Amino acid sequence: MLLIKPAIKNILGGGIRTWLNMAVLSFTFVLIVLYNGITDGWVQESRRETIQWDTGYGQLWHPDYERYDVFSIQDAHGIIPAELQPVLTARTYTPILVSQGVIYPQGRLQNVLLKGIDPDQSILNIPSGKLKSSGNEIVVLIGKRMAQAAKLKKGDRVMVRWRDRNGAFDAREVLVSEVFDTKVASIDGGQLWFNLEDLRKLTSMPNEATYLVRSGNGPVVSDVEGWHYKDLKFLLADLDMMLKGERVEMAIIFTVLLSIGLLALFDTQVLSIFRRQKEIGTYIALGMTPQRVAGLFTLEGTSYSILGILFGALWGTPLLIWFARAGISMPEMDDMGIAIGNELYPVYEPSSILLNIFIIVSLSALISYLPSRKIAKQNVVYALKGKIS
Amino acid sequence: MEPQTVIKLLSIVKRFPEGEGFFTALNNISLSVNKGEFVGLVGPSGSGKTTLLNIIGSLDIPSEGDAVVMGQSVSRLNAKESAYLRNKHIGFIFQSYNLLPVYSVFENIEFALLLQKIPANQRRKAVMEALEWVGLTNKAKSRPAQLSGGECQRVAIARAMVKRPSIVLADEPSANLDAANSHHILQTMQKLNQELNTTFLFATHDEKVMQYMKRIVYLKDGVVEKDVLLV
């Protein structure tokens, strides 16, 4: 407690030196919080969007289905076990049938996945209601990425060719009833979404599905007749790994930003100890131990970071709130496979901010202590004369 | 009644490294100073006055011999004990005042009491009393930069005296002052010596200062040349 008053006095008496340090540290702090917020916002949005558009809260896979093995798709379909009928009736699970096919937009050939979805499902955000057709026309949904790649738009017709369950080729023209906009590329690129019953008919796979998607309030069903349950941890593993890489990148930027701030602090401390030799000698002559004087200088250095954080909170809070509300424009990142919108809204987690404050203050204390510890080894007689020993 | 010895120097030798050898600043100094004495350490530059004050003030230790201050051997004190001795029993007055620049006059004087953890109301009373001694009550809120040299030295005296130390060590206290200011501060110290029975030990080579001393110890080349009792 005794050191706090002189430390505050010295900081306030530091003039421009204090303001410069505070400015650098507050800028560093605000940038770190913003960057953390961007990453947290990105992580949360990516997970949320992927769950809402692609994975649901879990999936039940056909025994032969393997998401990453395109060759598994041909055999990865089967009649949904009777035991699962109650969850389908309750609409807590919705079936998806996957098959392979080819489309011929403007005479070009393009391999696609044909996916059948129940038009009445409400588990995924895919606008499946648009698949309810009237008459003999078969309608499909495509995402905007697929529309761009195939140069298709709403109302266009395109020739689709596929093989049924017996391997026989068949083809017919389908109508693009809607082009939906999603941030989740994994349900968009190279995919045609059919009414489930239409696809079942086209492929001669009545009552069959490739996997079932669980809603948030659906029960977790353990393996049934070989159909195995995949939880979110498994389904989001790729995304989590990608975001983990992003965390590493964030840690590097955090280190660089913090190093700039701490370098300024270290510089001030070294200069301060060099310039304030006489003061150091006087403190010791008045009855402070050299260790206590070192403590005083360490406290001064640490206080810069605390003041910097407070100053940063003062001017940074309105700015950070504005970013969180207005969002930050992001470039197109379709190829990355991460669900991310054109606007990214930073999310500031209190725990993350507190951790940042703890790290900044702790490192400031360490950086302040390193030059200050030399005080304990100084020759007091020299210091009193303002000389470095 | 037997006078109380507050400083006892026993065959003090102090050497400093110089080139490949050593320079002997103090050579076999033995001396006793009693409570309430007003002593001048007099000698030319390099005679060892400041070195001797530093050893007595526990800011330095002798290479040989021992200095016993307030009954404690300075050579045997650790950093904490040494700091306690300075804080409790010794007041320092420096040639260049050594006031803390960001503190007001009041805070400079108060600092020594803060280290002794004296309650705020007692501190305030003691500081105002010290300011009265040196005639600077109207400058309590001023910063050292706003004071003249004489005023700064008076603040330094108040800072040294506020904790009522047993010993005050003054290193060339009038070196940066004109004759009038020198006279004023020496008179102040003389008055405090008489009123509070504080022991004063001056290092000086100023003829004007010597006339205030009750005892003068002449140093030359690190050796006591003469020890003269004037009163």
Side-chain angles (χ1 to χ4, degrees), chain A residues 284 290-291 294 369-370 372-380 389:
Chain A
I284 295 170
Q291 288 80 4
Y369 169 71
L370 289 176
S372 304
R373 72 199 159 131
K374 285 189 177 175
I375 293 170
K377 296 172 191 165
Q378 265 182 315
N379 185 323
V380 189
S389 55

Coordinates of all heavy atoms in Angstrom, one line a residue, chain A residues 284 290-291 294 369-370 372-380 389:
Chain A
I284 N 16.5 5.4 -1.0 CA 17.2 4.4 -0.2 C 17.8 5.2 1.1 O 17.7 4.7 2.2 CB 18.4 3.7 -1.0 CG1 17.7 2.9 -2.1 CG2 19.3 2.9 -0.1 CD1 18.7 2.3 -3.1
P290 N 16.6 -1.3 -1.2 CA 16.7 -1.3 -2.6 C 15.6 -2.1 -3.3 O 15.1 -1.8 -4.3 CB 18.1 -1.8 -2.9 CG 18.9 -1.5 -1.6 CD 17.9 -1.6 -0.5
Q291 N 15.3 -3.3 -2.6 CA 14.3 -4.1 -3.1 C 12.9 -3.4 -3.2 O 12.1 -3.6 -4.1 CB 14.1 -5.4 -2.3 CG 15.3 -6.4 -2.4 CD 16.5 -6.0 -1.6 OE1 16.5 -5.0 -0.8 NE2 17.6 -6.7 -1.7
A294 N 12.9 -1.1 -6.0 CA 12.7 -1.9 -7.3 C 11.2 -2.2 -7.4 O 10.6 -2.1 -8.5 CB 13.5 -3.2 -7.2
Y369 N 9.6 -5.3 -14.1 CA 10.5 -5.8 -13.1 C 11.9 -6.0 -13.6 O 12.9 -5.8 -12.9 CB 9.9 -7.1 -12.5 CG 10.9 -7.8 -11.6 CD1 11.2 -7.3 -10.3 CD2 11.5 -9.0 -12.0 CE1 12.1 -8.0 -9.5 CE2 12.4 -9.7 -11.2 CZ 12.7 -9.2 -10.0 OH 13.6 -9.8 -9.2
L370 N 12.0 -6.5 -14.8 CA 13.3 -6.9 -15.4 C 14.4 -5.8 -15.3 O 15.5 -6.0 -14.7 CB 13.2 -7.4 -16.8 CG 12.5 -8.7 -17.0 CD1 12.3 -9.1 -18.5 CD2 13.3 -9.8 -16.3
S372 N 14.0 -3.1 -13.4 CA 14.0 -2.5 -12.0 C 14.8 -3.4 -11.0 O 15.4 -2.8 -10.1 CB 12.6 -2.5 -11.5 OG 11.7 -1.8 -12.3
R373 N 15.0 -4.6 -11.3 CA 15.7 -5.5 -10.4 C 17.2 -5.1 -10.2 O 17.8 -5.4 -9.3 CB 15.6 -7.0 -10.7 CG 16.4 -7.4 -11.9 CD 15.9 -8.6 -12.5 NE 16.4 -8.6 -13.9 CZ 17.0 -9.6 -14.5 NH1 17.2 -10.7 -13.8 NH2 17.4 -9.6 -15.7
K374 N 17.7 -4.3 -11.2 CA 19.0 -3.8 -11.2 C 19.2 -2.8 -10.0 O 20.4 -2.7 -9.5 CB 19.4 -3.2 -12.5 CG 19.7 -4.2 -13.6 CD 20.3 -3.5 -14.8 CE 20.6 -4.6 -15.9 NZ 21.0 -4.0 -17.1
I375 N 18.1 -2.2 -9.6 CA 18.2 -1.2 -8.6 C 18.8 -1.9 -7.3 O 19.5 -1.3 -6.6 CB 16.8 -0.6 -8.3 CG1 16.4 0.2 -9.5 CG2 16.8 0.2 -7.0 CD1 15.0 0.7 -9.5
A376 N 18.3 -3.1 -7.1 CA 18.7 -3.8 -5.9 C 20.2 -4.0 -5.8 O 20.8 -4.3 -4.7 CB 18.0 -5.1 -5.8
K377 N 20.9 -4.0 -7.0 CA 22.3 -4.3 -7.0 C 23.1 -3.0 -7.1 O 24.4 -3.0 -7.3 CB 22.6 -5.2 -8.2 CG 22.0 -6.6 -8.0 CD 22.2 -7.4 -9.3 CE 21.3 -8.6 -9.3 NZ 21.2 -9.2 -10.6
Q378 N 22.4 -1.9 -7.2 CA 23.1 -0.6 -7.4 C 23.9 -0.1 -6.2 O 23.6 -0.4 -5.1 CB 22.1 0.4 -7.8 CG 22.0 0.6 -9.3 CD 21.0 1.6 -9.6 OE1 19.9 1.7 -9.0 NE2 21.3 2.5 -10.6
N379 N 25.0 0.7 -6.5 CA 25.7 1.3 -5.5 C 25.0 2.6 -5.1 O 24.8 3.5 -5.9 CB 27.1 1.7 -6.0 CG 28.0 2.2 -4.9 OD1 27.6 3.0 -4.1 ND2 29.3 1.9 -5.0
V380 N 24.5 2.7 -3.9 CA 23.7 3.8 -3.4 C 24.4 5.1 -3.5 O 23.9 6.2 -3.9 CB 23.2 3.6 -2.0 CG1 22.1 4.6 -1.6 CG2 22.6 2.2 -1.8
S389 N 26.1 2.9 -11.5 CA 27.3 2.1 -11.0 C 27.4 0.9 -11.9 O 26.5 0.4 -12.5 CB 27.0 1.7 -9.6 OG 25.8 1.0 -9.4

